[in-house]
Amino acid sequence: YVGGDDEEETYSGYAGKKGYVGKGYAGDDDEEETYSGYAGKKGYSGTYAGKKGGYSGALGGKKGYTNDPIDNRDDEVDEDDEVYSGKKGYSYGGKKGGGTPIRDDDCEICGIGHKNRPESLTLQYVAQGQESYYQDEEKSTCEGRDYPLSTTVISDYGRVYQLNDGDIFTIEPEDGFDARTIFTFPDFDDYECEFHTSCSQPLVAGDQHGPFLILPDNDGDCSPPPPPSGECVICDKANKIRPRSLTMRYHVNGENSKHQDSSKASCRAGSYPDDTTLVAAGQTFEELGDGDIFTLYPEDDDRFEANTEFTFVGAGISCTIHTSCSVPLVVGDQIGPFEIMAGNDCELQQTPEFTFPPTRPPTPPPTPAPITTPTLPPS
């Protein structure tokens, strides 16, 4: 073992069974707490000793997967950093100490295995907030709630942002990111929230902290994916501005969406009624037939709900499509009987012979002014 110094804390490093080396433990010290880190069975090394000697990492990971709090870190560990060891194959633990895999469309900017803090973060302000998928509620306090469509936001780095729903902005602190980045909303009851930016908790492009969606950065490893060839994306995770209208073509032969699976869109492949009455978002489209084009507008607040329901009157069926932009809305995609044709910056590529109008309550004719016969003075 490695010996120590009479004036300093001593460390010893015992080898584990079958010749595998352990990381060692702190020796006795009258003034400091001591820790043990014995090597585990079958050569799994332990730091602060997990069960069966092979469960390493603060707060315990899975069998034999190590996690050093200062791996790949060029600066000090923050006081409030907590390091979780992840499940097999994942670089870090998720909420409640369990491993959270990176979702297919997301990209890890930094985390346990890559702890160099970014120089900047590109964010999109999204008025419909969400709780973070990767950071627990103690580290990301920005809530999943509705935020103002237009507001002032102040960061704790001294920058003031005037933001509208969908605006994109970049945070680039002169002296680098702190362990926590705090935002204040002075015109929203001085609401304040924060998320962790020290990389002891994952920073992931595609994760949303309250109203702040982290976007891919052209200067980092998480570059935005190229747009699909020949397709116009109305909105998606990288651009969560909900459309103010959707123009669609109705087909009696439904198809499954290429972008919205059955967990997001219940409008699926199958036969749909012809010359039907369709109700959606408070609008009614009568005698809607195969090939008819119609434009749907949001019912309230000039924005679609997360799910838009379509009801076929008299047919006893209804289905939904996802309109919050957490999954893409793409021109040319057919979601059940509805082929997406236009919305946001994706303009209608052809002039239809006839655009099917919705039926709205009739406007009563104006009441004619009463006719009066003037009274002539007596002659």
Side-chain angles (χ1 to χ4, degrees):
Y1 67 89
V2 179
D5 188 300
D6 290 341
E7 298 178 357
E8 295 181 357
E9 186 176 15
T10 59
Y11 298 86
S12 59
Y14 294 95
K17 294 186 178 182
K18 296 189 178 181
Y20 295 85
V21 178
K23 295 200 74 171
Y25 70 92
D28 293 334
D29 189 312
D30 291 337
E31 298 179 357
E32 295 184 5
E33 184 178 2
T34 60
Y35 299 88
S36 61
Y38 296 96
K41 296 179 180 180
K42 297 186 179 180
Y44 296 94
S45 64
T47 303
Y48 298 175
K51 293 182 179 180
K52 295 188 179 179
Y55 300 84
S56 62
L59 302 188
K62 288 291 185 181
K63 181 177 180 180
Y65 298 91
T66 62
N67 191 7
D68 191 328
I70 56 172
D71 280 349
N72 302 317
R73 180 69 179 271
D74 56 7
D75 55 0
E76 74 281 357
V77 178
D78 299 294
E79 292 179 355
D80 56 352
D81 284 359
E82 295 180 25
V83 183
Y84 296 83
S85 176
K87 293 182 179 180
K88 180 177 181 180
Y90 302 112
S91 62
Y92 57 86
K95 298 180 180 181
K96 300 182 180 179
T100 301
I102 297 292
R103 296 176 295 197
D104 289 342
D105 295 332
D106 294 347
C107 179
E108 183 183 27
I109 296 171
C110 71
I112 294 301
H114 174 54
K115 297 198 71 175
N116 293 324
R117 303 183 192 184
E119 294 182 359
S120 64
L121 282 176
T122 301
L123 307 176
Q124 183 175 31
Y125 178 74
V126 182
Q128 186 175 31
Q130 296 180 16
E131 292 184 2
S132 170
Y133 182 78
Y134 298 101
Q135 295 192 12
D136 62 46
E137 60 185 11
E138 294 181 356
K139 300 299 184 181
S140 177
T141 64
C142 298
E143 301 168 286
R145 58 180 294 178
D146 288 334
Y147 291 82
L149 294 175
S150 179
T151 190
T152 301
V153 174
I154 304 174
S155 76
D156 59 341
Y157 306 110
R159 290 291 304 274
V160 179
Y161 305 90
Q162 302 294 333
L163 299 175
N164 296 312
D165 187 25
D167 284 351
I168 295 173
F169 64 105
T170 299
I171 298 180
E172 191 171 6
E174 291 184 4
D175 299 321
F177 281 100
D178 296 331
R180 295 166 293 179
T181 295
I182 304 171
F183 300 90
T184 304
F185 296 70
D187 52 1
F188 189 47
D189 296 329
D190 286 326
Y191 178 81
E192 183 177 285
C193 71
E194 65 185 56
F195 60 86
H196 219 60
T197 46
S198 77
C199 301
S200 66
Q201 296 258 323
L203 273 175
V204 179
D207 195 19
Q208 187 170 329
H209 301 264
F212 304 114
L213 173 67
I214 301 178
L215 298 181
D217 190 341
N218 286 315
D219 297 328
D221 295 332
C222 296
S223 299
S229 177
E231 294 183 336
C232 186
V233 179
I234 295 172
C235 68
D236 58 9
K237 282 185 178 180
N239 175 26
K240 295 192 72 174
I241 303 176
R242 300 187 191 186
R244 303 303 183 190
S245 66
L246 279 175
T247 299
M248 294 177 276
R249 187 194 299 274
Y250 180 71
H251 296 272
V252 294
N253 295 316
E255 296 181 3
N256 290 334
S257 169
K258 298 176 182 178
H259 302 280
Q260 299 195 13
D261 61 28
S262 58
S263 69
K264 297 296 184 181
S266 64
C267 296
R268 311 300 291 169
S271 297
Y272 290 82
D274 199 0
D275 295 326
T276 187
T277 298
L278 180 71
V279 176
Q283 296 147 75
T284 301
F285 302 88
E286 296 180 344
E287 298 181 0
L288 188 67
D290 189 35
D292 285 339
I293 296 173
F294 65 100
T295 299
L296 186 68
Y297 296 90
E299 183 175 12
D300 297 316
D301 299 328
D302 203 25
R303 52 187 277 140
F304 284 104
E305 300 290 338
N307 295 290
T308 296
E309 183 176 19
F310 297 83
T311 300
F312 298 84
V313 178
I317 59 174
S318 63
C319 66
T320 62
I321 68 173
H322 207 65
T323 45
S324 77
C325 303
S326 61
V327 290
L329 283 169
V330 180
V331 170
D333 189 28
Q334 186 173 332
I335 311 173
F338 306 114
E339 178 189 354
I340 306 298
M341 300 192 69
N344 277 351
D345 294 331
C346 298
E347 298 179 353
L348 197 63
Q349 297 301 308
Q350 65 185 70
T351 303
E353 295 180 1
F354 176 71
T355 300
F356 216 80
T359 299
R360 299 185 182 275
T363 302
T367 303
I371 300 175
T372 59
T373 302
T375 301
L376 298 175
S379 52

